[in-house]
Amino acid sequence: MTPMRFECFRPQDVPHLTRIATAYISDFSAVASYYQHPPTLDGLRAAAASVPRSASPRGELVPALRALNQRLGADASVTSSLDRLAAGAVAVVAGQQTGLFTGPAYTLYKALTAIRVARELTAAGTDAVPIFWLASEDHDLAEVDHCDWLGREGLEH
């Protein structure tokens, strides 16, 4: 089995990345007027500080997440995170629509990123828990019932 190979690309080298996305990642000062907070730990802490800590919608969200995670056999760490969320921790939310391309590694990277950001925020003094959703019940059949890609002779379907 060939191990997975990792390469790091500069934002400028990623195909089809918009100029604003490239600037957001590599030169935030060029686009800062469009955003309330920079993409840094301090920016995340400032954004988290602005999140209302009211019981609603936590009063509905936490019990629903508890029920779902119990059905899935979640361990005590999930219960602990949900307790913290109910008590006012901010949520670092990431998700992924299931699909044919980008593979399972992309989904894992997104979930791991949410976990890492939540841990870094908590270590910096802002209690945070990761929440990852997977949109596996896509009801838009017209969107997922086909696939197009570039082949040697042009567009394949």
Side-chain angles (χ1 to χ4, degrees):
M1 173 187 259
T2 304
M4 184 181 293
R5 193 179 87 215
F6 296 91
E7 292 183 40
C8 185
F9 293 99
R10 297 175 313 149
Q12 303 87 308
D13 297 334
V14 177
H16 311 293
L17 196 61
T18 63
R19 287 191 338 238
I20 196 167
T22 301
Y24 182 83
I25 296 166
S26 60
D27 183 17
F28 184 74
S29 64
V31 295
S33 63
Y34 298 109
Y35 298 95
Q36 193 170 9
H37 305 289
T40 62
L41 183 57
D42 286 339
L44 289 171
R45 291 184 70 204
S50 69
V51 174
R53 301 299 201 279
S54 65
S56 180
R58 294 169 193 271
E60 298 173 29
L61 177 64
V62 172
L65 290 174
R66 279 190 204 284
L68 172 64
N69 282 282
Q70 284 174 348
R71 282 196 312 272
L72 296 173
D75 65 16
S77 68
V78 174
T79 301
S80 173
S81 290
L82 291 172
D83 290 344
R84 291 171 43 218
L85 183 63
V90 296
V92 176
V93 181
Q96 177 70 24
Q97 180 180 20
T98 56
L100 179 61
F101 295 115
T102 68
Y106 183 61
T107 303
L108 290 174
Y109 292 148
K110 288 176 86 172
L112 290 170
T113 298
I115 293 167
R116 181 171 178 175
V117 169
R119 286 181 178 168
E120 287 186 18
L121 277 170
T122 299
T126 301
D127 194 20
V129 297
I131 296 179
F132 187 81
W133 57 266
L134 191 58
S136 60
E137 296 183 21
D138 191 337
H139 300 293
D140 189 2
L141 184 60
E143 181 183 319
V144 297
D145 71 348
H146 65 282
C147 174
D148 297 315
W149 66 94
L150 286 175
R152 292 177 190 247
E153 305 298 320
L155 193 63
E156 302 280 342
H157 184 77

